[in-house]
């Protein structure tokens, strides 16, 4: 609850994916299912990315990742700067 992006994301997800008038037990089921899925996935990521082989692989590929993301964000920024509104 301390991450406003997560609260907004899940609020938007529920407002689109859960129809009005849905039973409370169905809402609780959805919330619990997403909670369990998040718990399992984030712990799996932590275990995988804390292993020595994965840490070494990331260290080798770090510069490439940063380059690709810098180019993507730069292209997105350029697109916004040159957009015509109206």
């Amino acid at each position: 609850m301390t991450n406003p992006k997560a609260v907004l994301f899940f609020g938007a997800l529920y407002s689109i994916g859960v129809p009005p008038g849905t039973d409370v037990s169905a809402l609780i089921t959805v919330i619990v299912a997403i909670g369990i899925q998040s718990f399992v996935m984030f712990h799996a990521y932590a275990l995988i990315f804390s292993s020595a082989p994965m840490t070494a692989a990331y260290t080798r590929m770090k510069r490439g990742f940063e380059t690709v993301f810098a180019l993507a964000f730069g292209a997105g920024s350029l697109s916004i700067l040159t957009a015509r509104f109206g």
Side-chain angles (χ1 to χ4, degrees), residues 8-85:
L8 292 172
F9 169 75
F10 283 109
L13 183 68
Y14 294 148
S15 69
I16 293 171
V18 179
T22 300
D23 188 42
V24 173
S25 63
L27 290 174
I28 291 171
T29 302
V30 168
I31 291 169
V32 169
I34 291 173
I36 291 170
Q37 177 187 2
S38 297
F39 179 84
V40 169
M41 288 306 302
F42 289 132
H43 280 79
Y45 290 151
L47 288 173
I48 291 167
F49 286 101
S50 65
S51 69
M54 186 58 77
T55 302
Y58 177 76
T59 301
R60 282 192 310 273
M61 296 185 295
K62 182 179 176 183
R63 188 183 259 328
F65 285 144
E66 290 177 351
T67 301
V68 168
F69 286 118
L71 291 172
F73 280 110
S77 299
L78 185 60
S79 174
I80 291 170
L81 285 172
T82 59
R84 297 196 194 290
F85 296 103

